[in-house]
Amino acid sequence: MRDVIIACDFSSKEQTLTFLDRFTGRKPFVKIGMELFYAEGPAIVREIKARGHKIFLDLKLHDIPNTVRKAMSVLSRLDVDMTNVHAAGTIDMMRAALEGLTRPDGTRPLLIAVTQLTSTSQERMQNELLIGATINDTIAKYAQNAKEAGLDGVVCSPLEAKLVKEDCGSEFKTITPGIRFADAAADDQVRITTPARACEIGSDFIVVGRPITAAADPVEAYERCCREFIGE
Ligand code: C5P
């Protein structure tokens, strides 16, 4: 089931709730990142959940497996719908994350791995991190590792979603930021595409920030995303 996730990149509860108050019809799926979570703590997650939104808690965990298992166990009690780890933490760490996230009744949020951040260039990967493979090869390998660990999918650029689907199967989910309307500015994003094209390439969820949050009419921009991406 495809969906549009709004990146609520705000620094305070007031700003976030004022923004969400505009959505009186369909309640959007909301991404809460580090800035808002560190500013407001778990209470902001509970508050937004209580208002009827699905939540992607984007904290990108990356630590030793035992620490990640215990942190995920705490997050599982927040009743979010999706959360994530860095695939670079290894298969063992991703398995530990999955264990920690699974509730006693066997249910759990979707668990997604970050492959390569879109801010990482191949040159930096090779010169600073001494990773000799190409970006696309590392993305494909990290996605395979995430699948082997039992995760549900990966965050990647929409232009990489096809590669991931070919490698890991159509059921393996792709969550793709870097979305812009055809008639809009790219901002600081480089590898971008439109909601309609992301749908054609095979994204399951698009993560959209400024094209909605900075729009003159955010509700209209969200509905345009839904029309282009989901067709409704
Ligand atoms: O405003 P914009 O649509 O560019 O926001 C995209 C959102 O997706 C931001 O919250 C950004 O941090 C996030 N993101 C990204 N690229 C990644 C991973 C996450 O743009 N590789």
Side-chain angles (χ1 to χ4, degrees), residues 103-115:
R103 305 182 188 103
D105 66 0
T107 62
R108 63 168 177 81
L110 291 173
L111 183 60
I112 305 301
V114 176
T115 53

Side-chain angles (χ1 to χ4, degrees), residues 75-80 99-109:
L75 293 183
S76 79
R77 297 202 285 273
L78 281 179
D79 196 25
V80 297
E99 273 172 36
L101 201 58
T102 305
R103 305 182 188 103
D105 66 0
T107 62
R108 63 168 177 81

Side-chain angles (χ1 to χ4, degrees), residues 69-82:
R69 180 188 297 107
K70 290 199 282 190
M72 280 297 184
S73 162
V74 175
L75 293 183
S76 79
R77 297 202 285 273
L78 281 179
D79 196 25
V80 297
D81 299 277
M82 184 187 292

Side-chain angles (χ1 to χ4, degrees), residues 36-63:
L36 186 57
F37 190 77
Y38 291 153
E40 301 289 350
I44 188 69
V45 176
R46 293 195 192 96
E47 170 106 35
I48 295 175
K49 190 77 195 177
R51 290 169 166 237
H53 297 272
K54 286 189 171 175
I55 294 178
F56 170 20
L57 189 56
D58 179 20
L59 298 182
K60 301 187 180 71
L61 273 65
H62 186 174
D63 208 318

Side-chain angles (χ1 to χ4, degrees), residues 39-205:
E40 301 289 350
I44 188 69
V45 176
R46 293 195 192 96
E47 170 106 35
I48 295 175
K49 190 77 195 177
R51 290 169 166 237
H53 297 272
K54 286 189 171 175
I55 294 178
F56 170 20
L57 189 56
D58 179 20
L59 298 182
K60 301 187 180 71
L61 273 65
H62 186 174
D63 208 318
I64 59 170
N66 187 50
T67 301
V68 169
R69 180 188 297 107
K70 290 199 282 190
M72 280 297 184
S73 162
V74 175
L75 293 183
S76 79
R77 297 202 285 273
L78 281 179
D79 196 25
V80 297
D81 299 277
M82 184 187 292
T83 190
N84 59 2
V85 292
H86 270 285
T90 76
I91 295 175
D92 272 358
M93 189 209 75
M94 289 191 273
R95 286 203 176 112
L98 202 62
E99 273 172 36
L101 201 58
T102 305
R103 305 182 188 103
D105 66 0
T107 62
R108 63 168 177 81
L110 291 173
L111 183 60
I112 305 301
V114 176
T115 53
Q116 288 291 358
L117 293 173
T118 42
S119 52
T120 309
S121 69
Q122 189 150 303
E123 190 185 29
R124 286 209 180 118
M125 235 174 59
Q126 293 178 347
N127 295 341
E128 293 177 25
L129 308 178
L130 300 183
I131 297 172
T134 64
I135 283 227
N136 276 0
D137 283 353
T138 61
I139 289 165
K141 179 64 175 159
Y142 285 11
Q144 287 160 13
N145 289 352
K147 190 178 178 196
E148 192 177 328
L151 271 63
D152 303 294
V154 290
V155 182
C156 59
S157 111
L159 307 173
E160 290 143 12
K162 190 163 179 284
L163 170 90
V164 170
K165 292 279 184 185
E166 281 166 3
D167 255 44
C168 298
S170 61
E171 293 304 302
F172 194 67
K173 298 191 187 324
T174 54
I175 289 77
T176 63
I179 302 295
R180 291 295 179 268
F181 292 121
D183 49 7
D187 301 314
D188 55 350
Q189 295 281 19
V190 179
R191 308 194 63 201
I192 56 168
T193 196
T194 62
R197 182 76 189 120
C199 171
E200 284 165 21
I201 301 173
S203 291
D204 294 287
F205 295 91

